[in-house]
Amino acid sequence: SWVVELTDTGVCALVQAGCPLHTLSLHGIKGVGEPSLNALAKHCSTTLVSLDVRGCVNLETSSREALARLFPRVTNFVIAT
């Protein structure tokens, strides 16, 4: 289901709690930005294999190459805005 009010605080709390994420869609969530990506990279880079950041207008890191450096195991990036 969609959690359109999700923010960096929520994403950071989720990953810091140790939830092993494999697939994550943040599609259209305007409240997430670089703090979310940094927390995901720190806590989920070994488990995350699919990441959708379409429409996340507050992300500065949005190129496939930059995301691949943060998330080396991700095989499915969706980044078009």
Side-chain angles (χ1 to χ4, degrees):
S1 72
W2 286 56
V3 183
V4 295
E5 298 298 321
L6 187 65
T7 64
D8 288 324
T9 302
V11 173
C12 292
L14 178 69
V15 300
Q16 289 172 0
C19 297
L21 298 174
H22 301 283
T23 301
L24 181 62
S25 175
L26 298 171
H27 180 182
I29 308 294
K30 295 181 174 118
V32 297
E34 294 302 306
S36 292
L37 275 189
N38 293 333
L40 286 163
K42 181 178 179 181
H43 297 282
C44 302
S45 65
T46 61
T47 60
L48 201 60
V49 294
S50 180
L51 180 62
D52 180 349
V53 292
R54 283 178 289 173
C56 294
V57 296
N58 290 318
L59 290 180
E60 295 172 16
T61 306
S62 60
S63 75
R64 185 173 302 276
E65 294 79 19
L67 290 170
R69 283 190 295 275
L70 288 174
F71 305 100
R73 295 184 57 121
V74 171
T75 57
N76 181 38
F77 286 113
V78 183
I79 58 175
T81 56

